[in-house]
Amino acid sequence: MPELPEVETIARGLAKRVTGDVVQSVWIGRKKQPLKSSATEITSVLEHSRIAAVHRMGKHIVFDLDHDRAGSRRAQWIVHLGMTGRLQVCDAQTETAKHTHAILTLASGREVRFIDPRRFGRLSVASAGDFDTQGVEPLEVDLEHFIPLFQGRKTPIKSALLNQKLLRGVGNIYADESLFRAGIRPRRRASTITRENFAKLHRSIQEVLKEAIALGGSSVSDYVNADGEEGFFQLEHRVYGREGEPCLVCKIPIKRIVIAGRSSHYCPKCQK
DNA sequence: ACTATTTCCTGGATGC
DNA sequence: TGCATCCAGGAAATAG
């Protein structure tokens, strides 16, 4: 399940491969589509545009497009991978994977393919500047802007961390891992957390995300980067997916509870 | 203005 | 072996 570190890794890999290439044609499957813009709209924006850059915003992969049509504004192709989405860069000869929903043919002869079995992913286009996800980038926000995000919220801190309108890019894995490192229980009401603990949490989130990016993300279920390689951060998980296993600090078994329909893992002794 | 719950979707795991 | 059931979860929609 791609969260910020996985999406960052994928975006970097894509940028290396397709920056400067030109989209010649677009195919979009007719199966009930995970589209936020219409297929016609996506096709017309993408076709004959040059990929100027690929970068990440929250959990979205953003392709900045230059159009050669005079007077047309710069545009962006935005991909959200959902749970199981993948973007593959390959030769036209490569066999089409099951659940391929969109194919961009590039001037270089290669193709960018969007594959998503569970279809929680989303494709859309926007004029440059129009796409603005709410929420702040967790790796950019400083403590003084971080704390107010949670002030007055009665919701469990875990839910608040997952709320993309506050902080964008943190998902289930990194929320659990950050809370463990900060020593805060996932069910703690956001409004009851002290300034000191917010400082710990802020630091933990940045550390966890940076370490995960350095290791190419976490490969659980079927995540692979743009090269089809797995990441290694899953080996560093201290609580996520470790229900019943001993806490790496105190040996007490890790607990799993459900918060807002999401499984949440924590150590009952190390987290208060 | 918030918060909580439900819905979407399929592959893999589990149970009988 | 086969078949039914459950579960994973991001974000939008809906309900409270």
Side-chain angles (χ1 to χ4, degrees):
Chain A
M1 47 213 89
E3 302 179 27
L4 187 152
E6 292 77 29
V7 177
E8 179 69 32
T9 303
I10 293 166
R12 288 180 187 176
L14 287 166
K16 232 184 291 172
R17 288 180 170 55
V18 302
T19 300
D21 219 330
V22 173
V23 181
Q24 286 192 322
S25 60
V26 176
W27 170 87
I28 293 176
R30 71 254 124 228
K31 200 172 186 176
K32 189 180 167 215
Q33 275 299 311
L35 306 178
K36 287 180 88 176
S37 312
S38 74
T40 326
E41 210 180 339
I42 292 174
T43 303
S44 74
V45 167
L46 277 170
E47 276 182 345
H48 312 302
S49 66
R50 177 181 165 277
I51 299 170
V54 186
H55 57 101
R56 178 193 63 76
M57 287 176 72
K59 296 175 192 170
H60 300 263
I61 298 170
V62 179
F63 293 73
D64 289 337
L65 307 170
D66 279 338
H67 228 289
D68 45 13
R69 277 207 302 267
S72 60
R73 293 173 65 188
R74 290 188 67 173
Q76 294 177 316
W77 180 40
I78 299 138
V79 179
H80 192 296
L81 298 171
M83 290 284 298
T84 54
R86 278 193 295 140
L87 280 171
Q88 182 187 44
V89 181
C90 60
D91 296 327
Q93 291 80 11
T94 305
E95 198 177 338
T96 310
K98 211 177 165 183
H99 306 297
T100 299
H101 303 301
I103 300 178
L104 277 56
T105 304
L106 305 177
S108 63
R110 292 170 307 158
E111 295 185 342
V112 176
R113 299 179 183 175
F114 175 65
I115 304 155
D116 186 10
R118 222 169 288 181
R119 287 190 276 150
F120 275 20
R122 291 289 178 268
L123 306 182
S124 61
V125 287
S127 294
D130 286 0
F131 176 68
D132 186 27
T133 63
Q134 300 161 285
V136 297
E137 282 290 336
L139 286 175
E140 289 168 14
V141 68
D142 62 33
L143 185 60
E144 294 318 308
H145 292 91
F146 179 80
I147 293 175
L149 296 175
F150 307 98
Q151 244 144 31
R153 293 187 178 269
K154 297 193 196 103
T155 196
I157 185 64
K158 169 71 183 278
S159 299
L161 291 177
L162 294 180
N163 184 346
Q164 303 296 298
K165 293 186 173 117
L166 302 177
L167 212 54
R168 65 193 197 202
V170 176
N172 210 33
I173 295 175
Y174 299 103
D176 281 5
E177 293 298 318
S178 301
L179 287 168
F180 173 76
R181 293 193 189 198
I184 301 168
R185 289 200 187 194
R187 262 215 251 267
R188 270 284 294 281
R189 305 267 152 193
S191 55
T192 70
I193 295 174
T194 61
R195 185 186 165 80
E196 188 193 356
N197 277 328
F198 270 128
K200 269 192 194 169
L201 181 58
H202 177 253
R203 201 178 323 120
S204 299
I205 290 170
Q206 297 201 341
E207 274 176 16
V208 165
L209 294 176
K210 283 180 191 165
E211 287 174 29
I213 290 170
L215 291 178
S218 300
S219 286
V220 296
S221 75
D222 44 14
Y223 163 75
V224 288
N225 68 13
D227 290 314
E229 294 162 342
E230 298 192 343
F232 295 98
F233 193 73
Q234 68 280 8
L235 304 174
E236 306 295 324
H237 292 176
R238 300 182 190 172
V239 286
Y240 183 85
R242 297 192 65 245
E243 181 185 11
E245 292 174 41
C247 170
L248 299 173
V249 173
C250 75
K251 313 292 186 221
I252 298 282
I254 297 300
K255 276 193 83 167
R256 188 181 78 91
I257 57 177
V258 174
I259 299 172
R262 302 283 165 268
S263 58
S264 303
H265 312 74
Y266 71 99
C267 170
K269 190 172 174 193
C270 297
Q271 293 172 257
K272 303 292 176 198

